PDB file of all heavy atoms in Angstrom:
ATOM      1  N   SER A 514      -0.704  39.084  28.753  1.00 72.00           N
ATOM      2  CA  SER A 514      -1.382  40.318  28.372  1.00 72.00           C
ATOM      3  C   SER A 514      -2.843  40.285  28.798  1.00 72.00           C
ATOM      4  O   SER A 514      -3.573  41.236  28.570  1.00 72.00           O
ATOM      5  CB  SER A 514      -1.273  40.538  26.867  1.00 72.00           C
ATOM      6  OG  SER A 514      -1.831  39.438  26.185  1.00 72.00           O
ATOM      7  N   ALA A 515      -3.257  39.201  29.435  1.00 69.00           N
ATOM      8  CA  ALA A 515      -4.639  39.064  29.907  1.00 69.00           C
ATOM      9  C   ALA A 515      -4.844  39.861  31.191  1.00 69.00           C
ATOM     10  O   ALA A 515      -3.913  40.059  31.969  1.00 69.00           O
ATOM     11  CB  ALA A 515      -4.964  37.600  30.159  1.00 69.00           C
ATOM     12  N   SER A 516      -6.069  40.299  31.417  1.00 68.00           N
ATOM     13  CA  SER A 516      -6.388  41.000  32.658  1.00 68.00           C
ATOM     14  C   SER A 516      -6.591  39.970  33.770  1.00 68.00           C
ATOM     15  O   SER A 516      -6.937  38.822  33.491  1.00 68.00           O
ATOM     16  CB  SER A 516      -7.642  41.848  32.497  1.00 68.00           C
ATOM     17  OG  SER A 516      -8.769  41.023  32.430  1.00 68.00           O
ATOM     18  N   PRO A 517      -6.396  40.349  35.033  1.00 64.00           N
ATOM     19  CA  PRO A 517      -6.578  39.402  36.135  1.00 64.00           C
ATOM     20  C   PRO A 517      -7.956  38.757  36.159  1.00 64.00           C
ATOM     21  O   PRO A 517      -8.101  37.607  36.556  1.00 64.00           O
ATOM     22  CB  PRO A 517      -6.358  40.260  37.387  1.00 64.00           C
ATOM     23  CG  PRO A 517      -5.479  41.371  36.926  1.00 64.00           C
ATOM     24  CD  PRO A 517      -5.903  41.639  35.507  1.00 64.00           C
ATOM     25  N   GLN A 518      -8.981  39.457  35.711  1.00 66.00           N
ATOM     26  CA  GLN A 518     -10.326  38.886  35.701  1.00 66.00           C
ATOM     27  C   GLN A 518     -10.412  37.656  34.794  1.00 66.00           C
ATOM     28  O   GLN A 518     -11.253  36.804  34.983  1.00 66.00           O
ATOM     29  CB  GLN A 518     -11.365  39.928  35.265  1.00 66.00           C
ATOM     30  CG  GLN A 518     -11.596  41.024  36.279  1.00 66.00           C
ATOM     31  CD  GLN A 518     -10.554  42.133  36.206  1.00 66.00           C
ATOM     32  OE1 GLN A 518      -9.699  42.159  35.336  1.00 66.00           O
ATOM     33  NE2 GLN A 518     -10.613  43.051  37.137  1.00 66.00           N
ATOM     34  N   GLU A 519      -9.520  37.564  33.811  1.00 71.00           N
ATOM     35  CA  GLU A 519      -9.553  36.443  32.881  1.00 71.00           C
ATOM     36  C   GLU A 519      -8.968  35.172  33.476  1.00 71.00           C
ATOM     37  O   GLU A 519      -9.325  34.077  33.061  1.00 71.00           O
ATOM     38  CB  GLU A 519      -8.812  36.796  31.591  1.00 71.00           C
ATOM     39  CG  GLU A 519      -9.519  37.866  30.778  1.00 71.00           C
ATOM     40  CD  GLU A 519      -8.784  38.177  29.499  1.00 71.00           C
ATOM     41  OE1 GLU A 519      -8.414  37.231  28.781  1.00 71.00           O
ATOM     42  OE2 GLU A 519      -8.558  39.365  29.224  1.00 71.00           O
ATOM     43  N   TYR A 520      -8.049  35.279  34.436  1.00 68.00           N
ATOM     44  CA  TYR A 520      -7.438  34.075  34.995  1.00 68.00           C
ATOM     45  C   TYR A 520      -7.747  33.847  36.467  1.00 68.00           C
ATOM     46  O   TYR A 520      -7.389  32.817  37.013  1.00 68.00           O
ATOM     47  CB  TYR A 520      -5.933  34.027  34.749  1.00 68.00           C
ATOM     48  CG  TYR A 520      -5.182  35.305  35.028  1.00 68.00           C
ATOM     49  CD1 TYR A 520      -4.900  35.709  36.320  1.00 68.00           C
ATOM     50  CD2 TYR A 520      -4.744  36.101  33.989  1.00 68.00           C
ATOM     51  CE1 TYR A 520      -4.203  36.872  36.570  1.00 68.00           C
ATOM     52  CE2 TYR A 520      -4.046  37.262  34.226  1.00 68.00           C
ATOM     53  CZ  TYR A 520      -3.770  37.640  35.515  1.00 68.00           C
ATOM     54  OH  TYR A 520      -3.078  38.790  35.759  1.00 68.00           O
ATOM     55  N   ALA A 521      -8.412  34.769  37.125  1.00 66.00           N
ATOM     56  CA  ALA A 521      -8.822  34.565  38.513  1.00 66.00           C
ATOM     57  C   ALA A 521     -10.096  33.727  38.518  1.00 66.00           C
ATOM     58  O   ALA A 521     -10.985  33.941  37.707  1.00 66.00           O
ATOM     59  CB  ALA A 521      -9.052  35.900  39.204  1.00 66.00           C
ATOM     60  N   GLU A 522     -10.160  32.776  39.423  1.00 69.00           N
ATOM     61  CA  GLU A 522     -11.320  31.896  39.477  1.00 69.00           C
ATOM     62  C   GLU A 522     -12.219  32.245  40.647  1.00 69.00           C
ATOM     63  O   GLU A 522     -11.754  32.655  41.703  1.00 69.00           O
ATOM     64  CB  GLU A 522     -10.873  30.446  39.594  1.00 69.00           C
ATOM     65  CG  GLU A 522     -10.141  29.944  38.369  1.00 69.00           C
ATOM     66  CD  GLU A 522      -9.794  28.472  38.475  1.00 69.00           C
ATOM     67  OE1 GLU A 522     -10.191  27.828  39.463  1.00 69.00           O
ATOM     68  OE2 GLU A 522      -9.125  27.977  37.574  1.00 69.00           O
ATOM     69  N   GLY A 523     -13.501  32.046  40.449  1.00 69.00           N
ATOM     70  CA  GLY A 523     -14.469  32.213  41.524  1.00 69.00           C
ATOM     71  C   GLY A 523     -14.428  33.583  42.157  1.00 69.00           C
ATOM     72  O   GLY A 523     -14.430  34.595  41.471  1.00 69.00           O
ATOM     73  N   ASP A 524     -14.356  33.601  43.473  1.00 71.00           N
ATOM     74  CA  ASP A 524     -14.363  34.866  44.203  1.00 71.00           C
ATOM     75  C   ASP A 524     -12.950  35.325  44.561  1.00 71.00           C
ATOM     76  O   ASP A 524     -12.741  36.023  45.538  1.00 71.00           O
ATOM     77  CB  ASP A 524     -15.233  34.758  45.462  1.00 71.00           C
ATOM     78  CG  ASP A 524     -14.721  33.701  46.431  1.00 71.00           C
ATOM     79  OD1 ASP A 524     -13.828  32.915  46.046  1.00 71.00           O
ATOM     80  OD2 ASP A 524     -15.227  33.661  47.565  1.00 71.00           O
ATOM     81  N   ALA A 525     -11.954  34.908  43.764  1.00 67.00           N
ATOM     82  CA  ALA A 525     -10.567  35.300  44.011  1.00 67.00           C
ATOM     83  C   ALA A 525     -10.441  36.815  44.012  1.00 67.00           C
ATOM     84  O   ALA A 525     -11.071  37.513  43.223  1.00 67.00           O
ATOM     85  CB  ALA A 525      -9.651  34.703  42.949  1.00 67.00           C
ATOM     86  N   ASP A 526      -9.628  37.318  44.907  1.00 68.00           N
ATOM     87  CA  ASP A 526      -9.377  38.753  45.018  1.00 68.00           C
ATOM     88  C   ASP A 526      -8.358  39.143  43.953  1.00 68.00           C
ATOM     89  O   ASP A 526      -7.171  38.864  44.090  1.00 68.00           O
ATOM     90  CB  ASP A 526      -8.857  39.069  46.416  1.00 68.00           C
ATOM     91  CG  ASP A 526      -8.569  40.540  46.637  1.00 68.00           C
ATOM     92  OD1 ASP A 526      -8.846  41.356  45.728  1.00 68.00           O
ATOM     93  OD2 ASP A 526      -8.076  40.874  47.725  1.00 68.00           O
ATOM     94  N   VAL A 527      -8.818  39.776  42.878  1.00 65.00           N
ATOM     95  CA  VAL A 527      -7.918  40.100  41.766  1.00 65.00           C
ATOM     96  C   VAL A 527      -6.846  41.113  42.149  1.00 65.00           C
ATOM     97  O   VAL A 527      -5.875  41.268  41.422  1.00 65.00           O
ATOM     98  CB  VAL A 527      -8.684  40.576  40.505  1.00 65.00           C
ATOM     99  CG1 VAL A 527      -9.540  39.462  39.961  1.00 65.00           C
ATOM    100  CG2 VAL A 527      -9.486  41.816  40.768  1.00 65.00           C
ATOM    101  N   THR A 528      -6.983  41.773  43.290  1.00 66.00           N
ATOM    102  CA  THR A 528      -5.918  42.685  43.717  1.00 66.00           C
ATOM    103  C   THR A 528      -4.699  41.904  44.183  1.00 66.00           C
ATOM    104  O   THR A 528      -3.634  42.481  44.364  1.00 66.00           O
ATOM    105  CB  THR A 528      -6.392  43.622  44.851  1.00 66.00           C
ATOM    106  OG1 THR A 528      -6.734  42.834  45.998  1.00 66.00           O
ATOM    107  CG2 THR A 528      -7.581  44.456  44.412  1.00 66.00           C
ATOM    108  N   ARG A 529      -4.811  40.597  44.372  1.00 69.00           N
ATOM    109  CA  ARG A 529      -3.687  39.749  44.766  1.00 69.00           C
ATOM    110  C   ARG A 529      -2.853  39.334  43.569  1.00 69.00           C
ATOM    111  O   ARG A 529      -1.804  38.744  43.719  1.00 69.00           O
ATOM    112  CB  ARG A 529      -4.178  38.494  45.495  1.00 69.00           C
ATOM    113  CG  ARG A 529      -5.100  38.756  46.654  1.00 69.00           C
ATOM    114  CD  ARG A 529      -4.435  39.496  47.776  1.00 69.00           C
ATOM    115  NE  ARG A 529      -3.376  38.686  48.311  1.00 69.00           N
ATOM    116  CZ  ARG A 529      -2.382  39.152  49.027  1.00 69.00           C
ATOM    117  NH1 ARG A 529      -2.310  40.423  49.291  1.00 69.00           N
ATOM    118  NH2 ARG A 529      -1.437  38.370  49.487  1.00 69.00           N
ATOM    119  N   PHE A 530      -3.345  39.612  42.354  1.00 72.00           N
ATOM    120  CA  PHE A 530      -2.630  39.263  41.128  1.00 72.00           C
ATOM    121  C   PHE A 530      -2.012  40.527  40.536  1.00 72.00           C
ATOM    122  O   PHE A 530      -2.629  41.579  40.534  1.00 72.00           O
ATOM    123  CB  PHE A 530      -3.593  38.680  40.091  1.00 72.00           C
ATOM    124  CG  PHE A 530      -4.210  37.376  40.498  1.00 72.00           C
ATOM    125  CD1 PHE A 530      -5.371  37.355  41.242  1.00 72.00           C
ATOM    126  CD2 PHE A 530      -3.632  36.184  40.125  1.00 72.00           C
ATOM    127  CE1 PHE A 530      -5.959  36.155  41.614  1.00 72.00           C
ATOM    128  CE2 PHE A 530      -4.212  34.973  40.495  1.00 72.00           C
ATOM    129  CZ  PHE A 530      -5.373  34.965  41.234  1.00 72.00           C
ATOM    130  N   VAL A 531      -0.801  40.400  40.034  1.00 79.00           N
ATOM    131  CA  VAL A 531      -0.135  41.507  39.368  1.00 79.00           C
ATOM    132  C   VAL A 531       0.166  41.049  37.946  1.00 79.00           C
ATOM    133  O   VAL A 531       0.794  40.009  37.746  1.00 79.00           O
ATOM    134  CB  VAL A 531       1.175  41.894  40.091  1.00 79.00           C
ATOM    135  CG1 VAL A 531       1.924  42.964  39.313  1.00 79.00           C
ATOM    136  CG2 VAL A 531       0.890  42.351  41.512  1.00 79.00           C
ATOM    137  N   SER A 532      -0.316  41.794  36.962  1.00 79.00           N
ATOM    138  CA  SER A 532      -0.046  41.461  35.557  1.00 79.00           C
ATOM    139  C   SER A 532       1.233  42.150  35.107  1.00 79.00           C
ATOM    140  O   SER A 532       1.457  43.316  35.396  1.00 79.00           O
ATOM    141  CB  SER A 532      -1.204  41.918  34.663  1.00 79.00           C
ATOM    142  OG  SER A 532      -2.340  41.163  34.918  1.00 79.00           O
ATOM    143  N   LEU A 533       2.051  41.409  34.413  1.00 83.00           N
ATOM    144  CA  LEU A 533       3.288  41.935  33.843  1.00 83.00           C
ATOM    145  C   LEU A 533       3.214  41.672  32.348  1.00 83.00           C
ATOM    146  O   LEU A 533       3.295  40.529  31.895  1.00 83.00           O
ATOM    147  CB  LEU A 533       4.491  41.232  34.479  1.00 83.00           C
ATOM    148  CG  LEU A 533       5.881  41.677  34.066  1.00 83.00           C
ATOM    149  CD1 LEU A 533       6.080  43.162  34.296  1.00 83.00           C
ATOM    150  CD2 LEU A 533       6.921  40.883  34.826  1.00 83.00           C
TER     151      LEU A 533
END
Side-chain angles (χ1 to χ4, degrees):
S514 58
S516 72
Q518 290 82 6
E519 292 181 48
Y520 46 76
E522 294 184 4
D524 61 349
D526 180 4
V527 295
T528 63
R529 307 295 297 160
F530 295 87
V531 175
S532 292
L533 183 56

